[in-house]
């Protein structure tokens, strides 16, 4: 499975986990029958490090609270920040580009600009 597809499926699985009391395996099972370690790592990593990710995002958000963000943007940001903070295999530039492309597919026309604005603060550190 290509990484873009895994990130899109991770978004969908995390969205389900946000809305339902189900296990990570069930959430992934609802979005794909394929087994993919990158997908599983993204979903479980975001869940495992959610407090740290959310604390980091809260510092970067200007005039926004995490709870006010639309779920799509919040979930895209969580996935990207997980990759930026806890994995070293993908360059930051690629992580940000992937987040922008996914937010264009699943969000509205303003989503990718907002996501870019927040994630660009991670590259300035």
């Amino acid at each position: 499975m290509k990484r873009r597809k895994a990130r899109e499926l991770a978004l969908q699985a995390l969205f389900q986990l946000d809305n339902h009391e189900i296990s990570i395996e069930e959430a992934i099972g609802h979005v794909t029958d394929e087994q993919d370690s990158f997908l599983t790592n993204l979903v479980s990593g975001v869940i495992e490090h959610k407090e740290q990710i959310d604390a980091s995002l809260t510092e970067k958000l200007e005039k926004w609270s995490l709870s006010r963000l639309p779920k799509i943007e919040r979930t895209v940001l969580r996935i990207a920040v997980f990759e930026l903070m806890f994995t070293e295999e993908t360059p930051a530039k690629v992580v940000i580009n992937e987040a922008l492309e996914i937010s264009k597919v699943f969000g509205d026309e303003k989503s990718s600009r907002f996501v870019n604005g927040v994630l660009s603060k991670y590259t300035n550190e």
Side-chain angles (χ1 to χ4, degrees), residues 22-85:
I22 57 175
S23 70
I24 291 171
E25 295 78 21
E26 286 175 300
I28 292 172
H30 284 296
V31 297
T32 186
D33 293 331
E34 291 183 56
Q35 298 292 319
D36 185 80
S37 60
F38 184 70
L39 168 61
T40 303
N41 184 48
L42 284 178
V43 176
S44 59
V46 169
I47 296 300
E48 181 181 332
H49 298 287
K50 192 174 183 178
E51 286 183 28
Q52 290 168 281
I53 293 167
D54 286 357
S56 177
L57 278 169
T58 299
E59 290 175 12
K60 305 286 190 259
L61 294 172
E62 295 175 16
K63 302 175 188 170
W64 283 88
S65 67
L66 201 56
S67 61
R68 275 189 59 213
L69 292 183
K71 284 185 180 183
I72 293 293
E73 285 87 340
R74 184 173 57 227
T75 307
V76 168
L77 286 168
R78 283 176 174 160
I79 293 168
V81 171
F82 166 72
E83 284 194 81
L84 293 170
M85 290 176 66

